[in-house]
Structure formats: structure tokens, C-alpha cells
Amino acid sequence: MGVERLASRLGSLLNPFCRGLGYIASVTVFALMCLTVADILMRKFLNQSILGTVELTELMMVVIVFLTLGFSEMKDAHIKVDIFTSKLKRPTQTLLDVITQFLAFLLFAFMTVSVLRHALVMQRVGEVTQDLWIPKYPFLYLTALGCAVLSIALFFRFLEFLSERLKP
Amino acid sequence: MSPVTFGVIGIAAVLLLMALRMQIGFAMAVIGFLGFAVLNSFPSAFSVLGHEPFKTAGSYGLSVIPLFMLMGQFAFISRMGAEAYKTLYYWIGFLPGGLAMATIGACSFFAAISGSSLATAATMGMVALPEMRKFKYSDELATGCLAAGGTLGILIPPSTVLMIYGILTQQSIAELFIAGFIPGIILSLLFILTIYITARVWPEQGPPGPRFTFPERVRSLKEPWGIFALFLLVIGGLYAGWFTPTEAAAVGAFGAFLITLIKGRLTWKTLVESLMEASKATGMIFGILIGAYILQYFLTISQITDHLVGWVVGMGLNRYIVMCILIVIYLILGCLMEGLSIIILTIPITYPLILKMGFDPIWFGVMITVITEMGLITPPVGVNVFVIAGVAKDVPMYRIFRGIVPFIFAMLVLISLLLIFPQMALYLPHTMSR
């Protein structure tokens, strides 16, 4: 019962949060499109590219990817193969899900810590991009945030399956 | 235990976790991390986890992914596929099986602006199915041609599968896209031929539709201008070397956005939905890519690929026999898994092998795209079939699968043609300006 309540509370916090991150990523995708088109137009008609288009694109990609990882998980969009487990009995299926989701949660929790460490180093070193001198470390913190959200989303999945499994 | 043995165990473990319904990308990441930790050291594996995700995501070359996804989304809401269908309906609907042929044609046109098979099948399903029903087409032919036609989405450029293949093998995405063009057209023609034969032998399966006057037909030509404009700009631009793939994708997305706007089909709601869908799909693809790159560390250090390649080459088999074995393996995988995952999972292993055997990497990309396309419509996991079943709710699944059988033969014909005449895929890329 405790597990079920915890899962539902976590879900009600995570869903709007991930959706919010998804909105930010969406705006970034649109901005990326506009930036690239603007760069092409400038190059064709004014013979001059927008300075730093490549590095801006790379940083925007970091924003897009890491803000959507958790969002995609909450939408259950990450690809799974269910042909082999579909023949199993429901309790066996849930037990397997409990195990695999916990493994995935652990991995991304590890990843979060490792990325954070990397971010701290980058902040200390103060590495910047080549043309626009944008500091890189904030984007590493964002990467860590994305990994953390994904790991929490996976923990939520784990709780969901666990609560189903524990039901009498 | 030797590293190679570890590599074999690792691959088995990835497959096991995937079979247990773990997210494919996460399964690869978990095993990649553990394997690298065992063969190298825990601190270096931990450090890979910290560096690799940022490096993978922050890559200019991969920015092609969200942009082509966005182009496909805008193409989807612009209803350009429906317009292409209407035009073809006016021109060839009166033939025996004509509505089904128009469906295949419209799928090809839609495929030229969308890289996704599912979107192609879903779009055309909603438009073409009611018409074929109205003219008493058999359920088999109507649903079969839709599911098969949908697969054209990933062969005719732009194509999600070719894009990912290009990224993983560091081959030119532009060349891959251009290489898919002629085989895509030939496959459409083979599908149309299949329908023609079916409608000739069993006329009750595909009765003729309405006949239109010549002026009416000419008038219908003005509808699908958007598709032609977009295709010429995006794929033409890639062919002519005007754009990098990222730029072509951005131009395509922007063009599709403008066309949707001009046609009055862009609302705030559809705009937000398109952007969110493109973002979600990007998250999904990177979920697999990040996992694949982490697994790559482990596979490299285990040297399993080198050993496998050496072993196969050492057997002294004719290279076409090896290719046929690979094709059979991919066909089996295609029945069990979704195409993108198959490519991401197998390419690190099979790609060095085909290079070593002297096959052209661009040609191989087209080949496995066709094979994974087949996987979209073969039981038990024919994803396109599920989409069509969702649209045609009253048609039982087994009838859809029965309707697909002739189209599977058409695809096998294309695979054989590609084997015999690799120039089909390679001619256009060789004429590209670089």
C-alpha cells in the first residue's frame, strides 16, 4: 500500500515536470530549425554565415536530448521487445519488469553522478566553445539533470511494477 | 576467461535483457558499462558514463535527427498525403485494383517527405481505406496494400533507418538517401504490379473505381504541389550538394511548416503536438544511441568483432553465401524486433564483416533497410499491420497478414534484384556532386 501511494505521488509530480521539460525541448527544436535556415539564407544571400552555428547547434542538441529522455520514458516511448514476455503470466512479467527497471534506474543514477563529477571538473577548468566562448559546464549540469530525471522516471516505473506485484 | 568469451557472454546478456522487455538502449548501456568495468576497470567505465552521453548528444551530425522528425510531423499534419491520394485516384482509380494502386502511389509520394513508415501507413490508412471500402475492395487487398505501402516510408528518402545507419557507420547520409531512391521507386512499381496481377486473377478483390473526365484530372494535378516542392528542395538539394543533411532537414522542416501554414492546417494545438512528438521521438532514438555507444566501448575492448570477422573470413565461404546468410538472419530478426533497434544493435558487428568481404557500405545500407522494411509487415511483430488494424478495426489481424503475403514476395524480388544489380542503389550516389 505504501509503495502504491509513493508511486502515485511520484507520478503526479513527475508527469507535469517531464512535460514541462518536453515543452522547453520542443521550443529548442523549433529554434534549431530557425537557426539553421537563417544560417543558410545568410550564407546564400549575404555571403556570410552566422558565427558559431555549429556550436550553437551542438549545445541545442544537448538541451533537446537530455530534456526529452525522461519525457519519452514517462510516455513509455523507449523501444522494448515484448514478444517474448507476452506469453508469460502477468505476475512473472511484472517480476521481470521490477528487476529490469531497477537495473536501468541504477545505471542512470550512476550516470548522473558521473556526469556531475565531469561537470564540476569542467566548471573548474572553465572550458568554453571555440567561436562564441560559451562556457560548457552549464550544459553538463543540464545533462546531469536529464540523467537524474530519467533515473527518477525509471525508479517510478520500478515502483509501479513493484506495487502491482505486491498486490494480493 | 578471455575477453572474446566475455564479449560473447555480453552480447548474450544484452539479448536476454531485451527479451525480458527492458528498454533496448538501456539494456545495451547496462551491459556495456558492466562489461567495460570488468575488462578494463570500474573507474574508467564510470568515466565513460560521464563523458559519453554529453558527447553523443552534443554532436552536429546528429542534429539531423530532430529536424527530420519535425519535417515528418509537419508533413503529417499538412495532409499532403491525402492530396496526393486524391490526384492519383482521379488518374488511375478506374483501373482494376486502381484504388489500391493509387494508395501505393500516394504512399510513395508521402514517403518522399516523411522518413517514417508508421506515419505513412497511418496517414494513408485514414484516407484510402474508406474509399476502397466504398468500392467493395476485399479486406485483404485494401489492408495489405496499405501496410505494404507504408513501408516505402523508410526506403524512399528521407528515411529514419538510413539516417541512423549513416550515423553509426559514418557513411554519408546524403549518399544513403540518394541510394534509396531508385530501389524505392522499383519497389513501388513491384507493389503496383502485384496489385495488377491480383486484380486480374481475382477481379472481385479490386473492382474498378469511378472514372473522371480529362479536365477534371488535369485540375487535380495542382493539389500535391507541396510534396513536389519539398522533395525537390530537400532531396534535390542534398543531391546537388547545396546542403549538409542537417541543413536539408531544417529546410525541409521549415518548408513543411510553411506549407502547412499556407494550407491553413496549422493551429496552435497541432504545432505544439508536432514539436512534442518530434522531441519525444528524438529522446527515444538517443535513448538507444547512447546505449549503443556505451556498449561499443565494451565490444571494442573485447575484440569480439575482429574475432568474428576473422572467423567468418577464415571459413573461406563465397561472399555472396555470407551475404545470403546475413539476409536470412536479418529477416528473422525483422520478424521479432523493430527495424531501428535491429540496425543499432547489429551494425557494430556486421558492418566490419561486410567491409572486409568487399561489399559496398552504401549498398548494404539500402539492403538492410529493405529487409527491415519487410520486418514491418511480417508476423508476429508487423508494426505496420498493427497500425492498419487500428484504422480498420473490424478486419481481423489474420486477414491483414493474408493480404500482405503477395507484397512480401514483391519485396523478396527487390532483395534479389539488389543482390544481382547493386548498381540500382549505387548509380545515383556515384553521379552526385560532392
Side-chain angles (χ1 to χ4, degrees), chain A residues 43-89:
Chain A
R43 200 177 58 210
K44 296 272 178 225
F45 295 109
L46 302 175
N47 237 339
Q48 194 182 15
S49 292
I50 298 176
L51 181 71
T53 301
V54 171
E55 58 193 49
L56 281 176
T57 302
E58 288 172 353
L59 294 179
M60 282 166 137
M61 282 299 293
V62 172
V63 176
I64 296 167
V65 170
F66 288 101
L67 295 191
T68 49
L69 279 180
F71 175 58
S72 303
E73 179 51 46
M74 293 310 281
K75 294 268 171 198
D76 208 7
H78 290 292
I79 299 176
K80 296 175 183 167
V81 179
D82 39 22
I83 168 167
F84 298 105
T85 47
S86 60
K87 296 277 177 299
L88 299 174
K89 286 203 184 81

Side-chain angles (χ1 to χ4, degrees), chain B residues 12-90:
Chain B
V14 173
L15 292 175
L16 177 72
L17 285 181
M18 277 169 32
L20 298 182
R21 209 164 68 161
M22 189 167 187
Q23 295 87 333
I24 289 177
F26 304 167
M28 290 195 273
V30 166
I31 299 302
F33 170 69
L34 290 177
F36 195 67
V38 171
L39 289 183
N40 193 312
S41 68
F42 183 81
S44 47
F46 193 63
S47 153
V48 166
L49 283 189
H51 287 85
E52 198 51 46
F54 182 78
K55 206 174 87 193
T56 308
S59 129
Y60 179 78
L62 300 196
S63 59
V64 63
I65 296 172
L67 293 171
F68 267 126
M69 292 292 162
L70 188 59
M71 175 180 172
Q73 282 301 323
F74 285 140
F76 183 68
I77 57 170
S78 70
R79 297 178 43 81
M80 281 189 266
E83 292 166 354
Y85 178 72
K86 203 172 146 198
T87 304
L88 288 162
Y89 176 93
Y90 271 62

Side-chain angles (χ1 to χ4, degrees), chain B residues 216-283:
Chain B
E216 281 174 317
R217 288 184 195 172
V218 173
R219 264 201 302 279
S220 78
L221 281 180
K222 72 176 190 328
E223 288 282 341
W225 61 270
I227 289 187
F228 287 107
L230 263 185
F231 182 74
L232 281 179
L233 187 66
V234 175
I235 304 301
L238 271 179
Y239 182 72
W242 297 341
F243 308 130
T244 66
T246 295
E247 290 171 348
V251 167
F254 192 69
F257 170 73
L258 284 185
I259 291 170
T260 317
L261 194 69
I262 293 169
K263 289 185 184 281
R265 283 168 192 146
L266 194 72
T267 60
W268 183 247
K269 190 167 163 256
T270 53
L271 174 66
V272 173
E273 263 172 26
S274 310
L275 287 167
M276 289 293 254
E277 279 299 314
S279 303
K280 194 176 81 185
T282 307

